[in-house]
Amino acid sequence: MTKTERPRTQWLGRWGFVLAATGSAVGLGNVWKFPYMTGEYGGGAFVLVYLACILSVGVPVMMTEIALGRRGRGSPIDAIRRMASEAGRSSAWSLLGWMAMLCGFMILCFYVVVAGWSFAYLWKMISGGLAGSSVDDMAAIFSANNANPWSLGAWSTVVAVATMVIVGKGVQSGIEKSVSWMMPGMVIMLIIMIGYGAFSGGFGDALHFLFAFNASSLSSEGMLAAMGHAFFTLSLASGAILTYGSYLPREASIGRTTLTVAVADTLVALMAGLAIFPVIFANGMEPGSGPGLIFMSLPLAFQAMPLGTLFGILFFVMLSMAALTSSISMVEATVSWLTDNKGLSRRVASWGTGIVLWVISTMAMLSFNVGAEWTLLGKHFFDWLDFLTSRLMMPLGGLGMALFAGFVLRSEMLREELGLSPMIHGLWLFMVRYVSPLGILLIFVDALGWLDIDFAAQWPWLALVLAVVTLIGELTRPGLKRAFCS
Ligand code: PFF
């Protein structure tokens, strides 16, 4: 029996949820991952697919998750089980919640390592360890940073402990407060960096790289990566948004809240791109140089600009904070489930989870040094955690949530919860029933090589497929007319 019937904590202020959800969404995904993936997958085409995925899959799935969380009043597992039973459907749907919770935790296990990089670079900025370094030195410093398991382990331990301390303190005092000053600070820092980049000589190239669409530069693998990243950056299908949604007061508008979070998240990612690529191009660096991209490029800019050390310190403080407000959201599902179902106090649940996190994240950290040879199918443990979550579990989880909301629940359940105008509700239903699932499936099929789809050239055919599937779906679904027309 669950103990979730007691009143659930709620966010303190009107902006509590928006702040916390934005804090979860904006993180290393925007500033570290988005630029390096854009670099690896060829620029503008990747950015376009990513934006299309945010709009067509990310936003509708995010609305769904918040609505499921608020109506189900619990961790993903409990919320989905409750909603399924309210609709008279099998409790096996709660497996979706299990997968989301596991996914959030798996992400955290590699995320703390990257957040540790950010802390390490903050320390390097403070101690002057980067002063006078050339482009080549920066690559060597990044490698040396990873080669030492003791310092790398110490920094990821700091992140793991900080995460658990904040989560242990609870939703209101821990999570909400830390976000309210970090987010504006991050944006100001990025604006300063863009301002610097605009005069660095690489700005034109950066704009071209980010926004010029060249369909041939995007592989099937890149399409899947862009879709996975849309989930990752909005913290979807990993329990975070759904659990935060369970603390959302009834009066808040889910549609407006979702748009605010998605727009803020996308802007920060694009701003990060505009801050980083001018430095890359001005210094003749390789945009596709992988996960070290921001750590090798930004310190160069800090060196060259006036007050660079100060800005560098501020930047890495902000990045580390942005990482923390995301990492706390990744364990919130697990901690909430443990406290609701196992009778543990928040503190005990947090520390218990923290110990498991520490062990697994240490294994991920070792991928960069002692365990560099321990690979499976060419990937080490760190890469597997990233690959399994972003390319597999999140898109599949998102597909599951969309179908659950679109076809499994009774339509009035989420209609009440979402409270949208009939037209917007119809649009949301169309997205979760057809556009998102079909989009996810097609990108999977393409990435697996079962069909070679050229999305740019074959879009009229794809639109036709969507129309036919929608028609068949609507005609065969009993009660569907009611759903759209009432
Ligand atoms: N959205 C975060 C980022 O972009 O850094 C990462 C993330 C947070 C993923 C929370 C998943 C999650 F549950």
Side-chain angles (χ1 to χ4, degrees):
M1 201 185 79
T2 72
K3 300 190 177 70
T4 32
E5 305 313 327
R6 59 183 135 94
R8 205 162 171 79
T9 328
Q10 295 204 341
W11 301 107
L12 278 174
R14 196 165 102 70
W15 290 97
F17 174 83
V18 174
L19 281 173
T22 312
S24 168
V26 174
L28 295 168
N30 307 60
V31 182
W32 160 71
K33 206 172 188 202
F34 171 74
Y36 99 73
M37 291 182 86
T38 305
E40 269 184 359
Y41 292 108
F46 176 87
V47 175
L48 192 77
V49 176
Y50 157 80
L51 292 175
C53 288
I54 295 272
L55 261 186
S56 61
V57 186
V59 168
V61 170
M62 188 178 230
M63 289 168 69
T64 306
E65 284 202 28
I66 301 174
L68 289 176
R70 183 163 76 177
R71 178 134 178 157
R73 291 269 143 209
S75 69
I77 300 169
D78 296 328
I80 293 179
R81 191 180 0 81
R82 260 185 224 133
M83 298 286 281
S85 93
E86 192 187 337
R89 299 306 181 111
S90 157
S91 62
W93 280 100
S94 64
L95 282 175
L96 265 180
W98 281 102
M99 183 162 84
M101 196 168 94
L102 180 68
C103 181
F105 188 76
M106 283 168 68
I107 294 174
L108 185 60
C109 292
F110 76 88
Y111 204 84
V112 295
V113 179
V114 183
W117 290 346
S118 175
F119 276 81
Y121 270 71
L122 171 61
W123 177 244
K124 286 186 206 303
M125 285 300 323
I126 294 173
S127 62
L130 297 169
S133 309
S134 66
V135 173
D136 292 339
D137 295 339
M138 288 298 176
I141 291 172
F142 185 68
S143 306
N145 183 56
N146 287 342
N148 181 344
W150 294 107
S151 68
L152 203 57
W155 287 117
S156 42
T157 304
V158 166
V159 179
V161 170
T163 302
M164 286 342 211
V165 168
I166 304 178
V167 173
K169 281 184 150 186
V171 170
Q172 295 172 339
S173 51
I175 300 177
E176 218 170 320
K177 277 200 196 115
S178 51
V179 189
S180 50
W181 60 272
M182 185 281 302
M183 282 298 306
M186 185 82 213
V187 169
I188 293 173
M189 280 315 300
L190 285 173
I191 292 176
I192 294 175
M193 297 298 295
I194 296 173
Y196 168 79
F199 297 100
S200 69
F203 203 65
D205 287 343
L207 278 181
H208 184 79
F209 183 73
L210 280 169
F211 300 114
F213 178 69
N214 172 6
S216 65
S217 64
L218 193 61
S219 58
S220 310
E221 163 71 10
M223 300 264 314
L224 180 61
M227 179 175 68
H229 188 63
F231 281 101
F232 184 89
T233 193
L234 292 179
S235 309
L236 299 178
S238 25
I241 292 295
L242 198 152
T243 313
Y244 277 9
S246 73
Y247 310 128
L248 185 67
R250 279 258 114 79
E251 331 61 84
S253 149
I254 294 181
R256 231 172 295 138
T257 317
T258 301
L259 278 186
T260 313
V261 177
V263 168
D265 185 74
T266 308
L267 284 181
V268 173
L270 295 177
M271 285 168 77
L274 284 175
I276 286 158
F277 284 108
V279 183
I280 304 277
F281 292 115
N283 289 287
M285 299 171 82
E286 185 45 58
S289 51
L293 194 69
I294 67 160
F295 298 101
M296 297 191 264
S297 59
L298 287 184
L300 281 177
F302 294 129
Q303 258 178 46
M305 62 207 272
L307 296 178
T309 306
L310 178 67
F311 286 138
I313 292 172
L314 284 176
F315 180 86
F316 283 112
V317 168
M318 294 302 164
L319 185 62
S320 306
M321 290 302 300
L324 277 179
T325 54
S326 298
S327 64
I328 53 185
S329 71
M330 293 170 203
V331 264
E332 186 55 31
T334 307
V335 170
S336 148
W337 183 77
L338 286 172
T339 51
D340 289 346
N341 294 279
K342 301 290 165 205
L344 300 182
S345 74
R346 214 178 153 83
R347 201 162 293 261
V348 173
S350 309
W351 287 110
T353 314
I355 292 171
V356 183
L357 165 68
W358 185 78
V359 173
I360 303 179
S361 64
T362 302
M363 284 160 55
M365 179 276 292
L366 292 177
S367 298
F368 291 96
N369 34 68
V370 183
E373 306 289 307
W374 309 336
T375 58
L376 181 71
L377 301 175
K379 286 190 200 307
H380 45 51
F381 187 57
F382 179 99
D383 288 340
W384 272 112
L385 288 172
D386 184 11
F387 179 84
L388 286 175
T389 50
S390 290
R391 308 286 161 92
L392 221 60
M393 294 168 82
M394 284 196 265
L396 281 181
L399 176 68
M401 303 255 188
L403 294 177
F404 181 66
F407 292 106
V408 177
L409 295 179
R410 272 182 284 109
S411 38
E412 67 276 10
M413 289 170 69
L414 288 187
R415 182 190 325 224
E416 286 163 14
E417 203 55 48
L418 287 165
L420 303 165
S421 71
M423 205 180 85
I424 305 282
H425 188 81
L427 183 64
W428 169 79
L429 263 182
F430 173 56
M431 299 302 253
V432 292
R433 281 187 183 149
Y434 304 108
V435 180
S436 311
L438 210 62
I440 297 173
L441 284 175
L442 284 176
I443 292 183
F444 262 127
V445 166
D446 184 53
L448 287 169
W450 291 346
L451 267 183
D452 187 16
I453 310 170
D454 180 346
F455 286 83
Q458 294 169 346
W459 69 265
W461 287 109
L462 296 173
L464 189 67
V465 170
L466 177 64
V468 171
V469 171
T470 306
L471 200 69
I472 296 175
E474 296 303 284
L475 289 176
T476 52
R477 228 188 76 84
L480 219 118
K481 259 217 214 95
R482 240 184 309 133
F484 269 134
C485 302
S486 56

